[in-house]
Amino acid sequence: MASGPAPEPEAGRGPAMGEDPARKEHFYGGQALIEGVMMRGRDYWAVAVRRPDEEIHIESHDVGSLAKKYPLLAKPGLRGVVALGQALSIGFRALGISAHQAAPEEERLTKGQMTLSMVLAVIVFIGLFIVLPAVGFGFAERSFLPSGLIANVLEGIVRVLIFLGYLFLIGRMKEVRRVFQYHGAEHKTIAAFEHGAPLAPPEVDRFSTLHVRCGTNFLLIIMVLTILVFALFGSPGLIWRVMSRVIAIPIIAAVAYEALRLGARYPGSLVMRVLMAPGLWLQKITTKPPAPDQIEVAIASFNEVLRRERAAATG
């Protein structure tokens, strides 16, 4: 379980040692993995995973932003779609690395098996959160609901309830709970960096597991926006009803991305605090207090990103 398909790194911002001034406004973030954490900066992302022998595997890669090659893609409205696609791509790669390194050698999946499992996960997600509610309320509208507007609103509400129920149920699984602990370690580490605290487990552990730019917030914003957007779609046929839900995802993601950026840029605003409060409450499910060894893994991942940035700045 990742921290969610956030459009950009999730939590905190701050200058790394040796950064140029342009980097100071960059938001750092990451993702919880299987026995590990992915951390991401503007140009680099890193993965740290606790292996079965208790050693920490660390590796890092270039981000390779499309927005640098095509400045138009960095404009509001487009940057959210691009950032979401990029975050998903990096997130899947990071999950593959963690699944490989965290498993005993005799239990490791092949690259093909890992790809298949991720494809199936995406299909299940689309089926459970998009297709199932759309089909169900399409039939309900034709059978007993008085209008398409009511059907679309109820569909969105049920989608949110399915999402909340899903998070609650999987959070009771031991393996997922450990991922949620790494999620908390990720947030704590970036918050410590943001506040200038030493990146050591006792110091990092003083910070909250909650953050306004968490991918959980992003998913919840998307779910709520679907209620508003799909309510305007009227009463399409069943096939177009399902297709419209899939097609509208990039548009909704772009709006959610901008909302998340505003929440991070103006955290003291009363309006933003009210709008972001439900996502922060939801993080009480998706983040758990981490153990010191889990915080150590998150710190290792973040330090690798900082190391790459310092090397680039001095090289």
Side-chain angles (χ1 to χ4, degrees), residues 22-38:
R23 288 182 187 267
K24 294 184 180 181
E25 291 303 312
H26 176 69
F27 293 98
Y28 289 85
Q31 175 178 312
L33 306 171
I34 301 170
E35 293 302 325
V37 172
M38 181 272 287

Side-chain angles (χ1 to χ4, degrees), residues 56-85:
I56 300 177
H57 170 82
I58 303 172
E59 63 179 87
S60 57
H61 304 270
D62 295 346
V63 169
S65 175
L66 286 174
K68 290 182 179 180
K69 293 182 179 180
Y70 309 102
L72 179 64
L73 297 179
K75 301 296 183 181
L78 293 177
R79 63 188 178 186
V81 179
V82 173
L84 175 61

Side-chain angles (χ1 to χ4, degrees), residues 76-114:
L78 293 177
R79 63 188 178 186
V81 179
V82 173
L84 175 61
Q86 187 177 65
L88 288 173
S89 175
I90 292 174
F92 279 129
R93 288 179 63 188
L95 278 172
I97 294 169
S98 70
H100 182 76
Q101 293 295 333
E105 189 170 351
E106 64 275 9
E107 298 178 12
R108 290 177 178 175
L109 299 177
T110 66
K111 186 175 181 179
Q113 290 172 323
M114 183 61 63

Side-chain angles (χ1 to χ4, degrees), residues 118 146 152 168 187 197 252 264 274 307:
M118 291 183 179
N152 288 333
F168 177 77
H187 282 186
I252 296 173
V274 171
R307 184 193 69 78

Side-chain angles (χ1 to χ4, degrees), residues 5-302:
E8 195 176 289
E10 297 174 3
R13 63 177 176 177
M17 187 182 300
E19 276 188 324
D20 61 34
R23 288 182 187 267
K24 294 184 180 181
E25 291 303 312
H26 176 69
F27 293 98
Y28 289 85
Q31 175 178 312
L33 306 171
I34 301 170
E35 293 302 325
V37 172
M38 181 272 287
M39 291 291 192
R40 178 179 164 185
R42 186 182 68 178
D43 300 317
Y44 307 100
W45 60 276
V47 170
V49 183
R50 181 77 69 179
R51 301 177 61 181
D53 61 4
E54 296 301 320
E55 293 296 318
I56 300 177
H57 170 82
I58 303 172
E59 63 179 87
S60 57
H61 304 270
D62 295 346
V63 169
S65 175
L66 286 174
K68 290 182 179 180
K69 293 182 179 180
Y70 309 102
L72 179 64
L73 297 179
K75 301 296 183 181
L78 293 177
R79 63 188 178 186
V81 179
V82 173
L84 175 61
Q86 187 177 65
L88 288 173
S89 175
I90 292 174
F92 279 129
R93 288 179 63 188
L95 278 172
I97 294 169
S98 70
H100 182 76
Q101 293 295 333
E105 189 170 351
E106 64 275 9
E107 298 178 12
R108 290 177 178 175
L109 299 177
T110 66
K111 186 175 181 179
Q113 290 172 323
M114 183 61 63
T115 300
L116 178 60
S117 66
M118 291 183 179
V119 170
L120 289 176
V122 172
I123 293 174
V124 170
F125 180 86
I126 293 175
L128 182 62
F129 296 110
I130 299 176
V131 177
L132 182 61
V135 172
F137 279 92
F139 283 121
E141 180 186 347
R142 290 194 296 273
S143 301
F144 58 85
L145 290 177
S147 73
L149 177 61
I150 293 176
N152 288 333
V153 171
L154 290 177
E155 177 193 334
I157 293 174
V158 167
R159 184 177 287 109
V160 173
L161 293 176
I162 292 174
F163 176 60
L164 296 177
Y166 168 79
L167 289 178
F168 177 77
L169 289 175
I170 67 170
R172 302 176 70 86
M173 300 168 57
K174 180 181 178 181
E175 295 81 1
V176 175
R177 185 177 180 85
R178 284 193 60 80
V179 175
F180 286 174
Q181 287 180 288
Y182 278 107
H183 191 185
E186 173 221 327
H187 282 186
K188 282 175 175 281
T189 300
I190 298 175
F193 174 77
E194 178 184 16
H195 288 84
L199 293 185
E203 297 294 328
V204 169
D205 200 28
R206 296 188 298 107
F207 292 88
S208 173
T209 61
L210 311 182
H211 197 280
V212 69
R213 294 184 65 242
C214 175
T216 306
N217 291 37
F218 180 71
L219 285 175
L220 186 59
I221 292 171
I222 285 180
M223 294 289 180
V224 173
L225 285 175
T226 61
I227 299 176
L228 303 176
V229 173
F230 295 156
L232 305 176
F233 277 36
S235 303
L238 182 59
I239 295 178
W240 173 241
R241 187 184 191 93
V242 173
M243 289 181 60
S244 66
R245 272 47 177 172
V246 176
I247 293 172
I249 288 177
I251 301 173
I252 296 173
V255 177
Y257 175 88
E258 300 301 332
L260 207 60
R261 284 178 62 92
L262 284 174
R265 192 167 294 279
Y266 304 104
S269 164
L270 177 60
V271 174
M272 286 298 140
R273 289 205 305 269
V274 171
L275 291 177
M276 296 298 163
L280 292 174
W281 297 336
L282 188 57
Q283 287 178 52
K284 294 181 181 296
I285 297 177
T286 64
T287 63
K288 300 296 179 185
D293 63 324
Q294 293 173 312
I295 296 175
E296 183 184 9
V297 171
I299 292 172
S301 181
F302 194 75

